[in-house]
């Protein structure tokens, strides 16, 4: 809501600049989006009087105008507006002037005719199209006849006012009006404020004889109407139009403008009906019936149902209550009798109706938040008075009141001790009482206790905490001390799980992978790739796009998306890991379970080419090395084995391994299937994904000291030919099992399956290290053990020792 | 020529030869020549037999002196030459130290993670626990127990990804606060916690909006926790994340789960508070929301609001990172361009 600085100054004696006032409001009440003065940035824009005009010889729409701008000689200005006419007062941008959007106007020629400046439309001097009166939307604006040529136009158009744009939070509906804002400012500046009271001059007949209202007071706790006859529709006076357009509303005619003006001033939305268009003299406030239709003022058709509140006459709905009036009973040329409605509608209904019909209006916004229920009649009277004064209307005697349930004010007790305990302050009873009274609340003090009767307009205040906020903000948050909580000590430590998750990240970063955070919401297809267990998908009910519609059940597909993003930007070497959750759901259960996972993906090379070393493309074994190093870091207790997996549809069938700890599958590792790579438009990529929760839950090894032997170790190398399908793991397992008591380690140092070995065979070579912890090993003992294991390899695995 | 003169001459010639020797082999040759068994000194000493008994010890002493001089000179020369050889060797080994070092594979933590870790460490140090709850939440914990009943108008403020009517993607990490409050045993001490994590809103992704982002929410509940404590805590947080020069100010705001509710601004780091485009000329930048926990929230979690109370706050690491590093598009955090990810390396 844009509130006028000048309007505020009519009520409060403020000696502050608009920017400072805005700052104060922001620090004490509600956020301020910005403060603008419409004339800012404009230069040399004056009133001009069109003395004469003639058609441009070379154009069918341009006119050559002689314009008096208060100087000795008139200016010749070529103007293309269809509505320009001699005798008008117009807005003239002089040569050297600056209009909206910082555009400079110079002397020029238009189709050969010199033109000294420009006659402007309101839009050209910064008005938003939505607030320009309809008559002037497609042409220049015509100023009042009494404007003086040569004067700056700003004051005529209210452009020197400053407008403070309040971003009102949902609880502060009271700030959506001048009067509500004034109440707050009165407290902030500790100044009394007197608000004017309407005095209605009534004439004619009793309204009760002309109109009856029938109201369901559950839907409308207050419903009041006045009737004004013989109104003369006309444009509103300038001051009223200025109030409206500066608040962002388009002036229409005096009757409609008055209802909008009262809304801005009191916060009470009003509606004006053309009484003569009612079918009958009875008006009903009721829920709509399914099947009923209404065309609203904006000429849109709406299908109504029982959750909409409508105003209806004998035949049909004539307004969507609290949201928008109907077209059939709207104020139009020829309207002479106006029924003004001032009411309170139940906010939940209004909210839903506004949502369902996508009609968020100034009225619905106010009803949703709640309006000042003690001011409904006053706003109605003020509108009637203005229709008398500005439209010559004859206000009929009295009001019709269909319902008049005004809520009792909230009465809240709190103690001074509580105030100071919660705020951390040392306020006196006088200070607190004064703050509350300045807000217009009544306060009774008894010992330490305050009994506060809250003004009804503040419908956001119900409990002591609400009053604490009032006290704190008016006292000023800057004045609060800054301390830290005292009280009983607590330990702040990470849990084992949190520590392991941090260690996981540090480990993988140390191994060369960058942490990625990808989207957890993905496509249905990607959500189901690289599955580590069976699960139902979990869909959003109303996704924004299909790209983010289903909860992921793997992390790898997100990393592949990331690689694709890099790849599309010509970044070829990408090494990423991600720690995050996957979402598994059982059939028949709405809520998925969440499992922590860790995944990695590398494409290109981990170690880019350098002047002293060539690039080495990532391969299975490099990724395996990373996974192994990571698992070693996590110190999981139990044998880690890698078992070929030929069945994962998204993975290369010959280059994928399941990762087992102690026989439990905790993840997989390998190259993604070339067809998957193609689908993601990426190069060969190696990935792994592990169930991190499983790693967290597994028992861990403790660090312990192992004596380093003082006695020398002896090594023996062994090379052998084996069948291709014999795995390294089989060979190592056998050597370890049969290697004797002193075998310390087995290390593979060569694999060869090239031309020098027979087809179907491969050569494997290992270094075996022997050591005794307690004495120097005898060569013979090693030779004996070595021969024994060689024999075993021949017998059990058919190895040919070379 | 007397024996003594011979010796003197020998010394002179020997020293000259030593000086002339140009490599270690030369030095060795000179040594053998001068001091060897067939060398001139030995020969001279042999001639001592012919001397008087009185002269003999003097000449003997003189001969020994000369032998020592020559031995020392040889050693010195040898050392000199050895050093020269080593220096020559080292000179040959000279490399261009300005060539780049051999690359090492090294990954970086995500910039959001760095900020979350920093916040966690700060609050761990102040005795807070870190608790992260489920990302798929019940409406009850995400909204209702946060004092946002089904028809609350503030629900419009955060558009939500629902899965079913009652199940949703959490829009904040505060449901974990409700879950923890429900279980906390206050006889064991106050509740001091932060809950970091990913949250989701039904937004269209653009430079300033993301349907997925991060939040860290904090909660302290005890018998005597004040709004001044909240202000002090937020000041510590701002100083930790941005530096001591930064001031914090509170402004009224509205959140259904706190009362009073405030928004906290910090000094604009672009202009230091003078006013600029970034801060819309106010000198301040809004960074977080906070307040005193609403009695309804406590009541719904089974905590007596007449006895216990406290504060809550919520910060957005994404927004912090954008402000702190001038990141102009929030989507950068989730698209994982490695050229973006590897920019945030300064951990010192
Ligand atoms: Zn700034």
């Amino acid at each position: 809501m844009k509130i006028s600085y000048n309007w505020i100054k009519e009520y409060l004696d403020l000696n502050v600049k608009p920017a400072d006032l805005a700052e104060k409001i922001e620090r004490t009440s509600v956020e301020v989006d910005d403060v603008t003065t419409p004339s800012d940035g404009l230069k040399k824009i004056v009133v001009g009087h069109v003395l004469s005009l003639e058609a441009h010889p070379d154009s069918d729409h341009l006119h050559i105008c002689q314009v008096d701008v208060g100087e000795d000689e008139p200016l010749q200005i070529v103007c293309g507006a269809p509505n320009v006419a001699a005798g008008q007062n117009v807005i003239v941008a002089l040569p050297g002037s600056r209009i909206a959007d910082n555009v400079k106007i110079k002397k020029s020629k238009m189709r050969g005719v010199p033109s000294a400046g420009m006659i402007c439309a309101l839009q050209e001097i910064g008005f938003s199209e939505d607030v320009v009166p309809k008559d002037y939307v497609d042409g220049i604006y015509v100023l009042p006849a009494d404007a003086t040529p040569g004067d700056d136009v700003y004051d005529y158009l209210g452009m020197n006012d400053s407008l403070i744009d309040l971003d009102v939070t949902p609880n502060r509906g009271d700030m959506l009006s001048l009067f509500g804002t004034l109440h707050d400012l009165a407290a902030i500046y500790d100044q009394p404020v007197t608000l004017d009271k309407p005095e209605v001059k009534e004439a004619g007949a009793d309204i009760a004889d002309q109109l009856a209202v029938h109201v369901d007071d559950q839907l409308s706790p207050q419903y009041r109407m006045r009737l004004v006859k013989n109104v003369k529709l006309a444009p509103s006076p300038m001051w009223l139009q200025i109030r409206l357009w500066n608040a962002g509303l388009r002036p229409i005619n005096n009757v409609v403008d008055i209802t909008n003006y009262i809304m801005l001033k009191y916060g009470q939305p009003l509606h004006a009906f053309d009484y003569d268009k009612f079918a009958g003299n009875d008006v009903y406030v009721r829920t709509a019936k399914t099947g009923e239709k209404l065309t609203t003022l904006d000429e849109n058709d709406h299908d109504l149902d029982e959750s909409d509140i409508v105003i209806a006459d004998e035949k049909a709905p004539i307004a969507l209550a609290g949201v928008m009036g109907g077209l059939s009973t709207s104020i139009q040329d020829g309207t002479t009798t106006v029924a003004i409605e001032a009411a309170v509608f139940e906010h939940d209904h209004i909210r839903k109706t506004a949502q369902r019909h996508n009609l968020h209006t100034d009225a619905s916004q106010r009803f949703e938040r709640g309006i000042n229920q003690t001011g409904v009649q006053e706003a109605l009277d003020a509108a009637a008075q203005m229709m008398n004064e500005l439209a010559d209307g004859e206000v009929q005697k009295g009001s019709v009141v269909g319902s008049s349930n005004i809520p009792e004010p909230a009465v809240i007790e709190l103690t001074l001790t509580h105030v100071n305990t919660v705020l951390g302050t040392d306020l006196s009873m006088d200070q607190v009482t004064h703050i509350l009274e300045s807000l217009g609340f009544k306060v009774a003090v008894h010992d330490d206790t305050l009994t506060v009767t809250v003004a009804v307009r503040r419908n956001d205040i119900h409990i002591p905490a609400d009053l604490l906020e009032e006290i704190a903000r008016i006292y000023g948050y800057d004045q609060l001390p800054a301390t830290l909580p005292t009280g009983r000590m607590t330990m702040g430590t990470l849990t084992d799980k949190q520590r392991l998750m941090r260690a996981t990240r540090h480990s993988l970063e140390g191994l060369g992978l960058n942490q990625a955070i990808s989207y957890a919401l993905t496509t249905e297809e990607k959500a189901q790739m690289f599955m580590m267990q069976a699960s139902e998908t979990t869909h959003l009910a109303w996704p924004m796009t299909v790209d983010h519609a289903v909860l992921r059940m793997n992390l790898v597909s997100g990393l592949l998306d990331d690689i694709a993003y890099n790849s599309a930007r010509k970044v070829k070497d990408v090494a990423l890991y991600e720690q995050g959750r996957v979402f598994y759901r059982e059939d028949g259960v709405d809520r998925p379970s969440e499992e922590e996972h860790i995944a990695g993906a590398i494409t290109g090379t981990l170690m880019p080419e350098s002047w002293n070393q060539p690039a080495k493309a990532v391969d299975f074994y490099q990724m395996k090395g990373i996974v192994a190093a990571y698992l070693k870091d996590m110190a999981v207790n139990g044998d880690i084995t890698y078992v070929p997996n030929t069945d994962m549809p998204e993975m290369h069938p010959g280059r994928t391994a399941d990762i087992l700890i102690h026989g439990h599958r905790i993840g997989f590792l390998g190259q993604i299937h070339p067809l998957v790579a193609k689908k993601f438009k990426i190069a060969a990529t190696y990935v792994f994904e592990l169930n991190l929760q499983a790693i967290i839950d597994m028992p861990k090894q403790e660090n312990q000291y192992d004596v380093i032997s003082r006695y020398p170790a002896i090594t023996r190398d062994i090379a052998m030919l084996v069948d291709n399908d014999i795995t390294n793991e089989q060979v190592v397992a056998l050597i370890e099992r049969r290697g004797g008591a002193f075998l310390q380690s087995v290390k593979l140092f060569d694999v060869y399956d090239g031309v020098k070995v027979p087809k179907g065979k491969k050569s494997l070579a290992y270094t075996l290290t022997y050591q005794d912890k307690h004495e120097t090993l005898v060569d013979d003992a090693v030779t004996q053990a070595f021969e024994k294991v060689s024999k075993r390899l021949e017998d059990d695995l058919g190895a040919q020792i070379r | 020529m007397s024996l003594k003169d011979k010796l003197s001459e020998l010394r002179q010639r020997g020293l000259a030869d030593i000086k002339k020797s140009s490599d270690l082999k030369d030095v060795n040759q000179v040594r053998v020549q001068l001091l060897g068994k067939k060398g001139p000194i030995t020969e001279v000493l042999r001639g001592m037999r012919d001397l008087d008994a009185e002269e003999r010890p003097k000449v003997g002493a003189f001969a020994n002196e000369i032998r020592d001089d020559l031995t020392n000179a040889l050693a010195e020369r040898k050392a000199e030459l050895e050093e020269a050889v080593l220096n020559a060797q080292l000179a040959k080994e000279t490399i261009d130290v300005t060539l780049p070092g051999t690359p090492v594979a090294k990954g970086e933590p995500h910039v959001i993670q760095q900020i979350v870790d920093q916040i966690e460490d700060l609050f761990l140090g102040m005795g807070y626990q870190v608790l992260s709850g489920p990302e798929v939440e019940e409406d009850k914990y995400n909204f209702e127990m946060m004092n946002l009943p089904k028809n609350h108008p503030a629900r419009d403020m955060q558009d939500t990804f629902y899965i079913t009517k009652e199940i949703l993607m959490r829009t904040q990490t505060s449901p974990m606060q409700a879950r923890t409050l429900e279980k906390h045993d206050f006889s064991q001490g106050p509740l001091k916690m932060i809950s970091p994590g990913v949250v989701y809103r039904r937004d269209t992704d653009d430079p300033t909006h993301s349907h997925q982002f991060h939040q860290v929410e904090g909660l302290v509940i005890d018998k005597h926790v004040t709004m001044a404590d909240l202000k002090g805590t937020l000041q510590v947080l701002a100083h930790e994340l941005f530096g001591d020069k930064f001031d914090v100010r509170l402004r009224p705001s509205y959140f259904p789960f706190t009362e009073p509710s405030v928004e906290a601004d910090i000094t604009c780091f672009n202009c230091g508070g003078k006013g600029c485009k970034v801060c819309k000329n106010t000198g301040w930048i809004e960074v977080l929301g906070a307040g005193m926990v609403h009695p309804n929230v406590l009541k719904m979690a089974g905590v007596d609001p007449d006895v216990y109370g406290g504060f809550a706050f919520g910060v957005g690491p994404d927004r912090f990172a954008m402000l702190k590093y001038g990141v102009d598009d929030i989507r950068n955090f989730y698209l994982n361009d490695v050229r973006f990810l590897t920019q945030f390396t300064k951990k010192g």
Side-chain angles (χ1 to χ4, degrees), chain B residues 268-279 283-285:
Chain B
C268 173
F269 25 75
N270 194 47
C271 64
K274 287 198 278 292
C276 68
K277 217 171 180 178
V278 173
C279 57
W284 295 91
I285 291 188

Side-chain angles (χ1 to χ4, degrees), chain A residues 8 120 146 184 203 247 249 294 302 330 399 427 453 515 574 622:
Chain A
I8 290 171
C120 296
D146 59 0
D184 233 47
L249 298 171
L294 176 70
H302 300 273
S330 64
S399 308
L427 298 172
T453 306
Q515 185 184 12
V574 185
Q622 187 171 27

Side-chain angles (χ1 to χ4, degrees), chain B residues 14-279:
Chain B
L15 288 176
D17 283 353
I18 292 167
K19 210 171 179 186
K20 264 195 299 191
S21 63
S22 61
D23 59 26
L24 290 169
K25 210 171 115 204
D26 263 9
V27 176
N28 200 39
Q29 239 165 39
V30 172
R31 184 179 60 79
V32 173
Q33 256 170 37
L34 289 175
L35 303 176
K37 284 210 167 81
K38 286 173 193 159
I41 295 190
T42 317
E43 206 164 299
V44 169
L45 289 174
R46 224 175 266 140
M48 287 216 314
R49 272 170 298 185
D50 306 331
L51 292 179
D52 299 343
E54 196 182 317
E55 281 285 302
R56 219 180 279 162
K58 283 188 192 162
V59 176
F62 188 56
N64 280 333
E65 187 192 317
I66 286 173
R67 196 210 306 259
D68 287 351
D69 282 356
L70 290 173
T71 307
N72 288 342
L74 279 164
E76 222 169 84
R77 182 63 185 157
K78 193 177 169 219
E80 248 173 56
L81 287 170
E82 274 170 354
E83 195 187 336
V85 167
L86 182 63
N87 284 345
Q89 172 71 22
L90 295 182
K92 252 187 6 211
E93 287 170 10
T94 300
I95 56 168
D96 179 355
V97 297
T98 68
L99 285 173
T102 306
V104 173
K106 188 176 171 311
E108 299 298 340
H110 196 285
V111 58
I112 301 275
Q113 184 75 56
Q114 294 182 34
I115 290 177
V116 171
D117 284 351
Q118 201 183 351
I119 297 173
E120 283 184 9
D121 290 343
L122 173 72
F123 284 99
L124 284 166
M126 295 197 287
Y128 288 58
Q129 314 167 57
V130 179
L131 295 165
S132 52
E135 290 173 28
V136 181
E137 259 297 355
E138 295 172 35
D139 186 275
K140 176 184 154 193
Y141 287 104
N142 194 77
F143 288 129
E144 286 168 42
M145 288 191 64
M146 288 290 113
N147 203 25
L148 275 145
K150 284 254 156 64
N151 283 322
H152 198 287
R155 282 206 186 192
D156 294 345
M157 287 163 78
Q158 37 195 5
D159 261 352
T160 308
F161 281 129
Y162 277 93
I163 289 166
T164 67
K165 231 176 138 220
E166 299 298 331
I167 306 293
L168 48 80
M169 303 304 292
R170 69 175 172 195
T171 61
Q172 45 195 359
T173 58
S174 36
M176 195 52 200
Q177 302 182 347
R179 286 176 179 275
T180 312
L181 259 182
E182 259 186 346
K183 286 185 296 192
H184 188 77
D185 176 2
F186 282 93
S187 71
Q188 300 301 306
L191 174 61
K192 292 163 85 177
M193 64 175 282
I194 55 166
S195 43
V198 185
V199 298
Y200 304 84
R201 300 272 168 97
R202 201 169 173 280
D203 252 330
T204 302
D205 295 342
D206 67 23
T208 54
H209 297 86
S210 176
H211 73 274
Q212 167 182 311
F213 57 100
H214 290 76
Q215 247 191 11
V216 182
E217 308 219 357
L219 177 72
V220 175
I221 304 289
D222 199 0
K223 281 184 181 155
H224 300 290
V225 182
T226 70
M227 198 152 186
D229 294 338
L230 169 62
K231 189 174 169 183
T233 302
L234 296 180
Q235 239 166 40
V236 170
L237 176 62
H239 290 172
E240 165 69 17
L241 287 174
F242 296 106
D244 290 347
K245 293 193 300 287
F246 290 85
D247 249 342
V248 175
R249 69 170 198 186
L250 304 180
R251 281 186 291 110
S253 187
Y254 171 70
F255 308 108
F257 30 90
T258 48
E259 187 72 37
S261 298
V262 289
E263 238 147 328
D265 299 339
I266 63 160
T267 316
C268 173
F269 25 75
N270 194 47
C271 64
K274 287 198 278 292
C276 68
K277 217 171 180 178
V278 173
C279 57

Side-chain angles (χ1 to χ4, degrees), chain A residues 594-606:
Chain A
E594 302 179 21
E595 194 171 87
E596 294 287 353
H597 275 208
I598 183 82
I602 306 179
T603 189
T605 167
L606 193 55

Side-chain angles (χ1 to χ4, degrees), chain A residues 280-297:
Chain A
N281 291 337
D282 291 87
V283 166
Y284 301 85
V285 181
R286 58 167 171 86
T287 52
K289 296 173 188 129
T290 307
E292 282 186 325
K293 288 177 194 302
L294 176 70
T295 304
T296 42
L297 281 174

